[in-house]
Amino acid sequence: MKTSPIHNKPLFLEKALNWANGFSHCAYYQSNGISYPYHGFDEILAVGVKRIFVPNEKDRFEALAAFHQNKWLFGYLGYDLKNDREALSSKNTDHILFPEISFFEPQHILFFKGNEVETLSEEDVLAQIESTEINPITSYLGTAKASVSQAKYLAIIEKLRQHIEEGDCYEINFCQEFHGEIVALNPIQLYLDLNKLSPSPFSSFQKHEAHYILSASPERFMKKEGNKIISQPIKGTRARGNSASEDEALKKDLRSDEKELAENMMIVDLVRNDLARSSKVGSIKVEEIFGIYSFKQVHQMISTIVSEKREEINAFEVIKNAFPMGSMTGAPKVKVMQLIEQYENTKRGVFSGAAGYISPNSDFDFNVLIRSLFLNSATKTYSFQAGGAITYDSVPEKEYEECMVKAKAILALIDQGKVERF
């Protein structure tokens, strides 16, 4: 491992990402220096492939465990891995055709430590990066088409409220997709622009051949440090205000909203139940409940649940036992996933899955793939999704408004490209 100083971090990073994009696979993670319980992502760039995970169709979590071999792995888990855990299926329209899971062991890894970088490679990658030219192309994405009309969205919320009233579920996460055409693509600049619009503690850029993930996620799915497991579900959202006083009022409103508190509490209970499958008896603790955290676009209500892993459970079983994350399903999990398939008219695919990394000693950190843009450069299509948790107290118009608040940064990114092009 070689440590070198970085004299111009923004320029070096842009060159490094352009260099990485020349390979079939790469993955970059960062926290944007945002303060967060148990920290955000480590800043890591993984590039090239020594090995690519080729999953079997029976149990892809088990297959990933066998593939690990105490090496660094980088990649993502798609939402439809739920079908490996339960008797579920996913037959809705898929606009971007991502593999349901993708991981790779990289040829080169760069660990950023402030204005220094540690390189793990058999080549002089710094020289390669310095000689890389930055792609001058401006991305242009066609207009985003919503998968459902506003009127249809409101009608579905009412139907979901009826399911809750009839006792089918307590809370359900309902989302809609926005999709469109890629006219011109510079994925690096698009990611850097998204990160400026919406810096987050679980920011990620990934390339898996023709498939790109550009993530501005504020949410951690799960982290493992030694035998400690950390999960931090988000439930509860407010847009940012136009002034400090308005921001404070919105934060107080979020912290006192009975519906938002009930949503958060239900998901905390669900997470505790998920962690119980992997944890020592009596080790599960809610370290913080209803914490209010502010990001550039939104205020969020976040709770932190921790536990201690049982000795006989491996890291991949910990992930499988809690996947998919309760904040993106609702409760009870299996029933709401059936209802999600029934009422959403597009596949979630990678959305509401998880992106992250696994270390040689089986520690890991994964975000929740929300506030993320998914691009297929082969079919020239893009997609992103947004939604929220529905309870009996939900007001359909307010749920739609919250959905659009969550979509705001990516919609702004798409419009920004149009302004720059014309």
Side-chain angles (χ1 to χ4, degrees):
M1 188 110 53
K2 179 184 176 184
T3 302
S4 306
I6 304 172
H7 301 296
N8 184 335
K9 175 78 178 284
L11 178 61
F12 179 85
L13 179 60
E14 190 169 2
K15 283 191 167 195
L17 290 172
N18 276 271
W19 166 73
N21 193 43
F23 293 76
S24 66
H25 291 68
C26 63
Y28 173 65
Y29 308 85
Q30 65 164 327
S31 68
N32 285 290
I34 294 170
S35 178
Y36 205 88
Y38 293 99
H39 314 291
F41 274 152
D42 292 334
E43 190 173 5
I44 307 174
L45 175 61
V47 181
V49 291
K50 287 183 178 177
R51 296 181 300 140
I52 297 176
F53 176 53
V54 180
N56 62 40
E57 292 302 316
K58 189 174 181 183
D59 188 327
R60 288 167 286 186
F61 292 96
E62 190 176 296
L64 187 61
F67 177 76
H68 181 224
Q69 297 176 19
N70 300 320
K71 305 293 186 182
W72 278 101
L73 299 182
F74 299 83
Y76 68 81
L77 306 157
Y79 171 78
D80 290 321
L81 292 178
K82 65 183 173 54
N83 304 338
D84 291 20
R85 293 201 57 225
E86 306 290 349
L88 297 165
S89 62
S90 306
K91 303 188 187 309
N92 286 330
T93 302
D94 187 345
H95 285 112
I96 49 169
L97 304 172
F98 268 62
E100 291 180 356
I101 182 171
S102 183
F103 280 86
F104 64 97
E105 180 192 345
Q107 292 173 286
H108 320 289
I109 310 179
L110 282 71
F111 300 93
F112 292 88
K113 312 285 185 184
N115 288 318
E116 291 185 334
V117 62
E118 295 178 352
T119 52
L120 184 59
S121 173
E122 295 176 3
E123 301 176 22
D124 184 0
V125 296
L126 297 186
Q128 294 177 32
I129 291 168
E130 289 298 341
S131 64
T132 298
E133 293 186 4
I134 292 171
N135 184 351
I137 293 172
T138 298
S139 289
Y140 176 62
L141 305 184
T143 301
K145 302 168 190 171
S147 61
V148 294
S149 66
Q150 182 175 353
K152 179 75 171 173
Y153 191 96
L154 299 178
I156 290 172
I157 301 303
E158 280 298 347
K159 287 180 180 177
L160 295 176
R161 288 183 67 251
Q162 289 172 25
H163 279 286
I164 294 167
E165 186 176 26
E166 291 164 8
D168 293 331
C169 58
Y170 309 107
E171 175 181 338
I172 180 168
N173 189 281
F174 175 70
C175 299
Q176 67 169 318
E177 182 190 53
F178 300 84
H179 62 274
E181 177 189 358
I182 300 170
V183 180
L185 180 62
N186 178 345
I188 305 305
Q189 193 56 52
L190 205 57
Y191 166 71
L192 293 173
D193 287 346
L194 175 61
N195 196 58
K196 285 177 190 170
L197 282 167
S198 187
S200 71
F202 300 102
S203 174
S204 176
F205 171 88
Q206 293 200 23
K207 178 187 180 184
H208 299 258
E209 296 180 331
H211 300 96
Y212 289 91
I213 299 173
L214 283 58
S215 181
S217 175
E219 182 172 4
R220 170 176 279 136
F221 164 42
M222 195 180 294
K223 180 177 186 175
K224 175 182 169 292
E225 292 181 335
N227 284 327
K228 188 166 193 173
I229 306 168
I230 302 129
S231 184
Q232 294 171 299
I234 289 178
K235 271 288 159 273
T237 304
R238 289 290 184 278
R240 290 298 301 259
N242 296 317
S243 65
S245 59
E246 189 179 349
D247 258 344
E248 284 305 310
L250 286 163
K251 285 161 67 175
K252 286 179 182 176
D253 178 61
L254 176 57
R255 182 60 180 80
S256 60
D257 187 309
E258 290 188 9
K259 173 190 170 289
E260 305 278 26
L261 295 171
E263 281 182 21
N264 198 290
M265 177 61 82
M266 277 189 263
I267 297 307
V268 166
D269 286 343
L270 192 153
V271 169
R272 291 171 66 197
N273 185 63
D274 285 346
L275 292 185
R277 298 187 181 102
S278 306
S279 305
K280 291 181 180 177
V281 175
S283 70
I284 300 171
K285 295 180 174 60
V286 180
E287 286 195 344
E288 182 180 33
I289 194 162
F290 311 144
I292 305 299
Y293 292 82
S294 298
F295 303 98
K296 191 169 182 179
Q297 300 286 339
V298 291
H299 303 292
Q300 303 275 200
M301 186 184 292
I302 305 173
S303 294
T304 297
I305 305 101
V306 302
S307 70
E308 189 175 349
K309 184 182 76 67
R310 295 206 307 272
E311 297 293 336
E312 71 274 17
I313 298 287
N314 68 43
F316 300 87
E317 290 172 301
V318 171
I319 297 168
K320 179 181 177 179
N321 287 341
F323 193 87
M325 59 294 303
S327 61
M328 295 306 298
T329 60
K333 236 182 187 182
V334 174
K335 180 61 180 179
V336 294
M337 286 191 286
Q338 291 170 343
L339 291 172
I340 286 167
E341 178 69 14
Q342 178 181 339
Y343 285 101
E344 293 182 3
N345 62 0
T346 55
K347 254 192 177 186
R348 286 198 176 182
V350 188
F351 170 75
S352 74
Y357 46 86
I358 305 163
S359 74
N361 69 356
S362 295
D363 281 353
F364 59 74
D365 203 358
F366 283 94
N367 72 7
V368 178
L369 277 170
I370 54 175
R371 323 290 160 82
S372 301
L373 180 62
F374 306 100
L375 307 156
N376 185 330
S377 62
T379 60
K380 298 191 182 308
T381 51
Y382 74 84
S383 164
F384 67 97
Q385 298 193 38
I390 310 306
T391 65
Y392 182 72
D393 293 327
S394 290
V395 176
E397 290 78 10
K398 287 189 176 179
E399 293 297 339
Y400 184 80
E401 183 182 322
E402 180 179 320
C403 174
M404 298 311 294
V405 165
K406 291 171 179 175
K408 182 180 177 183
I410 294 178
L411 288 170
L413 182 71
I414 293 167
D415 287 342
Q416 177 177 299
K418 292 174 183 175
V419 169
E420 289 176 356
R421 191 175 177 85
F422 296 109

